[in-house]
Amino acid sequence: RKGPIRTIETSFSRRHFIIGTLAASAAAALALAGCAPQTPADKAMANTGNGGTTFADTIAWDGEYDVVVIGFGGAGAVSACYAADAGAKVLLIDKAPQGMEGGNTRFCGQIILNSDDKEAMLAYNKAMAGDFAVDDELMDAYAEGLTQTKTMLRDFFGVPEENFLDWKEDSSAQPMIAMFVPEYPELEGGDALHVLTVSDNVCNSALWKTYRNKVMSMSDNIDVWYMSPATKLFQDPLSRAVIGVEIDKAGETVNIRAKNGVVMTMGGFENNKQMVEDFLGLTKSTPAGTLFNTGDGVKMAMGVGADLWHMEAYEGNCFALGGISFVVNEDQHAKTFNDLRNLSGSVIVVGNGGERYLREEYAEEHGIATGDWVNVKRPRNTYMVWDAAQNEAIAEYHGIPAGFEDQVVSAATIAELEAALGIPAGKLEQTVTDFNKMANDGYDPAFFRAAETMRAFGEGPFYAIEMIQAFLNTQGGARRNARAEVVGTDGEPIPHLYSAGEFGGMTPYQYNGGGNMAECLIFGQLAGVGAAAEKDPLPVLPMGVASEIVYTQGSGS
């Protein structure tokens, strides 16, 4: 349906709520938040044709939309556009100020997956999941969607045919992107994968601009609020349906009714230090994308009983897609030096115990660093260590990035270097001795590093620099199904609640570049259409319950 926002005015003052208990016939506890009294006339009008008071009638709404989409990134833009196209009046909100919206879609490589072979895509994506359990219906929906991504971008978002570049057919244009076609060629089905861009280049926000322009072109049916993070979901206690959103609109609390659905597309939690420590086990890390993904959606989804999945999964590592990351201030993004790790020679990577823990020269792929598909657990500290000969090679190649020279620790001997780093005495010395034997033998029995990339350590001085985990995004969030519905801890969909994008992404661990952008488009479309669909009336509260509620109202703005 289309139409103007219905604003509800009230003169009642804000008051706290109490928790009441529903009548026995409701068989559920009533946990109330953000409720407000209405005048008899208002209530009568709200209940016309309903035969009684619903939970939604007890809340003082500051406005009403058919659909509320939380997060103006790629998934949110797609969801909003498809919901509006289905006839819904949509509110699209984002916590970022205008000009900084876009989530990780704005900063990513702008590549998106496509294929003309659904069965091959099913096989490939299941192979990437390895031993991890997958939702077969969701996998099927994604595989089907991969055969439609180009059509959707062309026919719905208006990308001219001549603007598409298929990197499988023109791999010479950008070798870095060609490596994603497919990223895991050893897995079944990968040879049918294509990687597209909507321009002749990458990392230029072209795909993001396509989505944003479509949102702006549908302004009659999509309202956009910036600096307006969602803070809570309103949930009907009888049906469990999500019926609205509490929003901090530029510092003022606003309650917005969502008649048909709410779509959560607020990305992951890579900028939430506590969540990164708790779920990823990283005490030192830095994200390479948006600043605004702080896990808000995880907390709100848990508040309405959503199940969580893939909370340990993240994409990128300190040796992938951005090279080595040096220690930076917490208010800065990752500072990287591409290809430093690719220099073969007398260089190793060790943990704070002085021992190697990964294969240093392994070709970068999303989410892995050892040739296996489970993310490597990091030690508390990680150091790259090299000798004088390697230092000369680094200087000839690029040198240490400007501003980071003072982070390099040097010492005349390995023993002095390990003391300066706080590594237990003798540990780094033994690691270097072992590495020298491997280099001379041409065989690494610990991690199978390629023989041609190893050179025994020679004369000092010796050098080290601390590295921290750089990553692109987290995948964890609310579990979703094949219809882009958020799934509760009971395994059933939470009515009226949908999600798309990196918030609860479908990837358990291993991921093909461009896959998240495909998820944003495929599940954004499903979420938008699903949320826009008319829903059944909410159940009526049991007799006598409404009169016992003490209400709290919204701002009325």
Side-chain angles (χ1 to χ4, degrees), residues 308-328:
L308 302 180
W309 67 349
H310 305 155
M311 296 303 290
E312 291 187 357
Y314 60 92
E315 291 162 19
N317 51 65
C318 63
F319 301 104
L321 299 178
I324 288 173
S325 290
F326 299 101
V327 178
V328 295

Side-chain angles (χ1 to χ4, degrees), residues 383 385-386 408-430 432 459-465:
Y383 302 99
V385 179
W386 65 95
V408 177
V409 179
S410 62
T413 67
I414 293 292
E416 291 176 3
L417 185 64
E418 65 185 3
L421 298 176
I423 293 174
K427 291 290 188 179
L428 183 59
E429 285 185 301
Q430 185 62 55
V432 171
E459 298 296 323
F462 302 94
Y463 303 86
I465 190 168

Side-chain angles (χ1 to χ4, degrees), residues 92-274:
L92 174 59
I93 63 173
D94 199 87
K95 69 188 299 184
Q98 186 171 3
M100 297 183 70
E101 77 283 1
N104 282 333
T105 300
R106 188 182 196 123
F107 298 100
C108 74
Q110 309 301 298
I111 65 176
I112 189 168
L113 301 186
N114 177 258
S115 180
D116 56 6
D117 190 335
K118 175 183 174 180
E119 294 306 314
M121 292 302 92
L122 269 174
Y124 184 63
N125 283 286
K126 287 183 178 181
M128 282 196 293
D131 293 341
F132 287 88
V134 297
D135 180 331
D136 287 331
E137 289 187 358
L138 182 140
M139 283 283 186
D140 188 83
Y142 183 64
E144 175 66 28
L146 289 176
T147 68
Q148 301 297 319
T149 51
K150 182 177 180 180
T151 300
M152 295 163 72
L153 288 169
R154 183 189 62 214
D155 297 348
F156 186 78
F157 288 97
V159 177
E161 183 70 33
E162 60 269 20
N163 282 23
F164 287 103
L165 179 62
D166 188 328
W167 295 85
K168 188 182 187 73
E169 298 174 359
D170 192 9
S171 60
S172 62
Q174 176 57 269
M176 187 185 80
I177 303 302
M179 64 172 286
F180 300 143
V181 196
E183 194 163 349
Y184 306 94
E186 70 275 15
L187 300 182
E188 179 186 356
D191 56 350
L193 188 72
H194 291 253
V195 169
L196 307 178
T197 54
V198 297
S199 72
D200 62 356
N201 215 324
V202 295
C203 300
N204 58 2
S205 297
L207 183 59
W208 158 244
K209 292 173 184 176
T210 295
Y211 291 149
R212 190 181 190 281
N213 289 343
K214 183 68 173 181
V215 169
M216 297 299 107
S217 74
M218 303 180 77
S219 59
D220 286 348
N221 292 306
I222 303 175
D223 290 341
V224 181
W225 290 358
Y226 303 96
M227 298 181 65
S228 299
T231 53
K232 182 172 60 182
L233 299 174
F234 292 104
Q235 185 176 34
D236 181 82
L238 296 176
S239 66
R240 297 173 59 245
V242 172
I243 60 174
V245 184
E246 180 185 89
I247 301 169
D248 180 1
K249 186 181 182 185
E252 188 172 18
T253 300
V254 177
N255 296 334
I256 298 298
R257 175 80 164 97
K259 290 188 64 179
N260 295 335
V262 172
V263 185
M264 304 180 77
T265 65
M266 58 272 283
F269 54 85
E270 56 266 27
N271 290 282
N272 186 312
K273 182 175 175 60
Q274 189 63 57

Side-chain angles (χ1 to χ4, degrees), residues 233 264 275 279 297-308 311 478:
L233 299 174
M264 304 180 77
M275 285 188 176
F279 296 118
V298 174
K299 299 174 184 177
M300 284 188 288
M302 291 175 66
V304 296
D307 196 17
L308 302 180
M311 296 303 290

Side-chain angles (χ1 to χ4, degrees), residues 397-464:
Y397 186 70
H398 277 311
I400 299 297
F404 293 90
E405 299 91 346
D406 59 351
Q407 294 185 23
V408 177
V409 179
S410 62
T413 67
I414 293 292
E416 291 176 3
L417 185 64
E418 65 185 3
L421 298 176
I423 293 174
K427 291 290 188 179
L428 183 59
E429 285 185 301
Q430 185 62 55
T431 296
V432 171
T433 297
D434 293 343
F435 178 79
N436 285 350
K437 183 179 187 307
M438 297 175 198
N440 291 329
D441 292 346
Y443 177 63
D444 174 8
F447 300 102
F448 305 103
R449 177 168 160 180
E452 63 271 18
T453 72
M454 297 188 292
R455 179 179 64 222
F457 276 59
E459 298 296 323
F462 302 94
Y463 303 86

